Amino acid sequence: MVNKRKLVVIGNGMAGVRAVEEILKIDSEAFDITIFGKEPHPNYNRILLSKVLQGDTTVESVTLNNWQWYKDNGIILYTDEQVVQLVAEEKYVVTAKRRKVYYDDLIIATGSIPFMLPLPGAEKEGVTAFRDISDCEKMIEYSAKYKKAIVIGGGLLGLEAARGLLNLGMKVDVVHIAEHLMERQLDSLAAEMLRKELENQGMNFLLQASSVEITGEERVDGIRFADGSWREADLVVMAVGVRPNTEIAADTEIEVNRAIVVDDYMRTNLPNVYAVGECVEHRGSVYGLVAPLYEQGKVLAAVLCGQSHEGYQGSVLSTQLKVSGVDVFSAGEFTESEETVLLKWYDGVKNTYRKVVLRNQEVVGAVMFGDTSTGSNLLNMIQQKAGYEEVEKEFAATAVDVDGRIAAMADHDLVCACNGVTKGTITNAICDEELDSVDDVKACTKASSSCGGCRPLVADILDYVQRCGVATKIKQPMCTCTTADHSELIEMIKESAEDTQEAIMLRLGWSTVGGCEICRPAIRYYMGVHSAKIPEIIEEKTADGTYMVSPRLHGGLIGTEQLLKITEIVKKYNIPLVKLATGPRMELYGIRQQEVAAVRTELALEVHSYGYGLRAVSTCSGSRYGKNAMQDSLLLGFQLEKELESSRFPTEITIGISAGVDDQAKARREDISLIGAPGGWELYGGSERFYTAMTMSEALSMTEALLSLYQRTAFYLEELAEWVVRTGILSIREEMISQKAARRSADKKRETEVALSHAMG
């Protein structure tokens, strides 16, 4: 029996326990797990504390993992016991109760702690934070004795605390130093609409107010402000933000900047020590929302269980919440600048507002107030860098056309950003498990189980599926010759791999003998990729009836010998036009039909009967001549073009390679781009970043894997960027990783066979 590794988790919050949940999904027998939590409770949903304070729910109902869950999974849980020392050299931790526990792997998930303003009088009785269950209990206790409260902080947490105190019968002033509420999530107009709505609920606001002293004897009686004014208070709640809890790293060699620094695989700089959650800094960013923390937990679980993973790539921040009963949404960039263009919709009657921010005609951010039903769609647009046309299409439908919006959503579109749950996962669960309520969907898929902002959309999907079933996709015939679409044609070719082109067309009921200019090249391409038959070779002419060929310039480089050879061929065959085209590449025009084969042979060009090739690989001046070069773009470009020069694709492909992050080659404009960074190569397909920190060999193999998948699964003439959106970046990454793992396994098998053959003589 293999001994299990000892895994210790410091922190019993949402991020650390989610990582443990993901580990149990992959391999429930891999670890002996011990978790330390400084609160006397099992894991609970901190986001819903405001509902506990407001009296809308109980502590038990916001518990994510009860005591029995830990027992059922063999997890040792120490509650009300804080880890105070980490001895990394000997791999053990020590708690405040002097308990010593050894580990093989350690996860630091200490979260964050509330920031308390260092005001005179902040130590008085009646001053509290709003961060955990004990804070809630303290505020409920005070509300039974006192009637006047001040909440310092007009962010989300402060407003939720104020709403709870109103529900408890207290009069509430909200003090905020900024010009408008929730300035990190909302623009000024949305914030003003929110302020008016909350004032109608009974809150009072003191904006641009700077607190200088908490007054009173032993307990608080008010707050004095910088302008000399004073406000009475029996209770002061500080909700001015949090800071990463990095105390455990203080006496260690763990690298700490704003928070504990980790790489894409959630590793700290110490061996076998990992970190996730609000205590973590990744690529200079510290995340406080639940969705990024859950993504980090998934990555860490894969790493600890020995699975291949592309690593954590960072997150687009989004907030879709109900603030005191008012729906608000924000994602990405929502502030205005000279580089952005704004689209706004305002309805004073319905009290709704929407703003979409575009840069270079791509969606980069959004804010909504009142009606946030399209929030998930907008978040998908931001992540995919959708264009103006997509926004126009999204908001062309009326707000009441719920069925139309649900039907238009793709299966891979995210519904619950916190937990990464897609529409397809929800619809499949509803049908397969016969789910009847939103709570059933939440229990089965985790959709809406965290912040709850997506609950209305989950309810709409449930209602739609129960009434209409899973929406069937509208079939789009590939041309007027047939009723078959691209998917049906591909499947027929796969099933009938030995059939000729004519037989395939006959099977699918082609109405036009031989097809047309639209379907013929598509059939040839799909047969070239999926069939055992080689489709007929058809040369494409230029407008004047002559032909064009393009010598291959590997990585955009041309040597003296190749240049002389091209010059000789141009003279020999009297080629009238030699043109430098974008890519970069060279094009020779005006070649007579009877000389095409000879020219191709002398230029060592292969003749392909289907699809499109690699147009060119453009590079910058490289590590030798580039000022800010970090990697060797010329060598990578040369090798990539050599590897891919005979490959065929649904449409012409260009690759751009820049040696540094300043992108001198303007690589990001190409279908695929590789950018040199200090940690290695970064791979982009369309506007999506797939991988980072790759070696040159990894950059080669992962680019080939991406293009191989595109070749096999894209429709003819479907641009790579369109294919990425249709297929979904997560699905593509998983398949690429699977291909990489399969190749690695095959290589090991071959190495073993070779070793055995040598051993046997």
Side-chain angles (χ1 to χ4, degrees), residues 111 184 242-244 246 255-264 266-267 275-289 292-293 295-296 312-317 689:
R184 293 184 179 180
V242 295
R243 58 185 177 83
T246 62
E255 182 183 355
V256 177
N257 189 27
R258 293 169 58 205
I260 295 172
V261 177
V262 297
D263 64 11
D264 289 355
M266 314 317 297
R267 299 175 296 208
V276 290
E278 292 178 297
C279 64
V280 157
E281 178 180 333
H282 172 263
R283 297 186 188 175
S285 296
V286 178
Y287 297 98
L289 297 175
L293 313 188
E295 288 180 46
Q296 292 174 2
Y312 178 58
Q313 305 296 314
S315 301
V316 175
L317 295 182
R689 181 169 59 187

Side-chain angles (χ1 to χ4, degrees), residues 583-745:
R585 71 173 188 170
M586 184 180 291
E587 295 173 340
L588 312 183
Y589 285 89
I591 303 170
R592 292 184 291 273
Q593 183 177 10
Q594 62 270 27
E595 295 174 341
V596 170
V599 172
R600 284 186 175 277
T601 300
E602 292 189 38
L603 287 173
L605 295 176
E606 297 183 29
V607 180
H608 294 280
S609 58
Y610 65 93
Y612 292 84
L614 176 68
R615 178 181 176 88
V617 177
S618 61
T619 59
C620 63
S621 53
S623 55
R624 181 175 180 179
Y625 299 105
K627 291 183 179 179
N628 300 308
M630 299 175 183
Q631 305 293 335
D632 191 343
S633 59
L634 295 179
L635 180 57
L636 178 58
F638 183 87
Q639 292 183 347
L640 256 182
E641 193 151 0
K642 286 287 287 183
E643 291 290 331
L644 297 171
E645 62 182 334
S646 61
S647 300
R648 310 306 289 169
F649 305 108
T651 189
E652 205 166 43
I653 290 293
T654 56
I655 299 176
I657 305 177
S658 284
V661 292
D662 55 349
D663 193 12
Q664 287 190 356
K666 300 293 186 289
R668 292 297 305 278
R669 297 185 301 190
E670 310 299 349
D671 299 302
I672 287 179
S673 56
L674 289 137
I675 307 294
W681 288 103
E682 296 187 347
L683 171 63
Y684 294 80
S687 60
E688 297 287 357
R689 181 169 59 187
F690 282 88
Y691 294 100
T692 61
M694 296 183 295
T695 63
M696 183 171 292
S697 63
E698 288 172 334
L700 278 165
S701 64
M702 296 315 288
T703 304
E704 290 173 11
L706 177 62
L707 284 171
S708 173
L709 188 60
Y710 171 63
Q711 177 198 63
R712 291 184 288 106
T713 62
F715 298 146
Y716 185 69
L717 295 183
E718 184 178 26
E719 298 287 347
L720 187 135
E722 296 172 354
W723 168 74
V724 169
V725 172
R726 176 174 65 83
T727 308
I729 185 171
L730 294 179
S731 298
I732 296 172
R733 279 178 178 164
E734 288 175 4
E735 182 62 28
M736 289 171 66
I737 291 170
S738 176
Q739 287 184 29
K740 184 179 179 182
R743 286 197 300 271
R744 188 181 298 159
S745 176

Side-chain angles (χ1 to χ4, degrees), residues 159-171:
L159 298 179
E160 292 287 15
R163 179 66 261 175
L165 293 170
L166 282 177
N167 283 17
L168 293 170
M170 300 192 79
K171 293 182 179 180

Side-chain angles (χ1 to χ4, degrees), residues 49-57 139-140 143-144 146-147 149 151 158-172 198 200-203 235 323-325:
L49 274 182
S50 58
K51 296 188 180 297
V52 175
L53 180 62
Q54 293 167 21
D56 295 337
T57 189
M139 292 161 71
I140 292 170
S143 69
Y146 306 102
K147 294 302 177 187
V151 176
L159 298 179
E160 292 287 15
R163 179 66 261 175
L165 293 170
L166 282 177
N167 283 17
L168 293 170
M170 300 192 79
K171 293 182 179 180
V172 183
L198 297 182
N200 291 335
Q201 295 180 17
M203 290 185 205
L235 170 67
V323 181
S324 300

Side-chain angles (χ1 to χ4, degrees), residues 146-211:
Y146 306 102
K147 294 302 177 187
K148 189 72 179 72
I150 288 180
V151 176
I152 303 178
L156 174 63
L157 199 62
L159 298 179
E160 292 287 15
R163 179 66 261 175
L165 293 170
L166 282 177
N167 283 17
L168 293 170
M170 300 192 79
K171 293 182 179 180
V172 183
D173 289 327
V174 177
V175 174
H176 195 46
I177 197 169
E179 294 181 1
H180 66 258
L181 303 175
M182 291 183 67
E183 71 278 3
R184 293 184 179 180
Q185 290 88 18
L186 303 179
D187 65 6
S188 57
L189 178 54
E192 179 64 13
M193 295 172 73
L194 178 62
R195 182 185 65 80
K196 290 179 179 178
E197 181 64 33
L198 297 182
E199 284 178 341
N200 291 335
Q201 295 180 17
M203 290 185 205
N204 183 58
F205 294 97
L206 304 175
L207 300 178
Q208 294 181 276
S210 177
S211 307

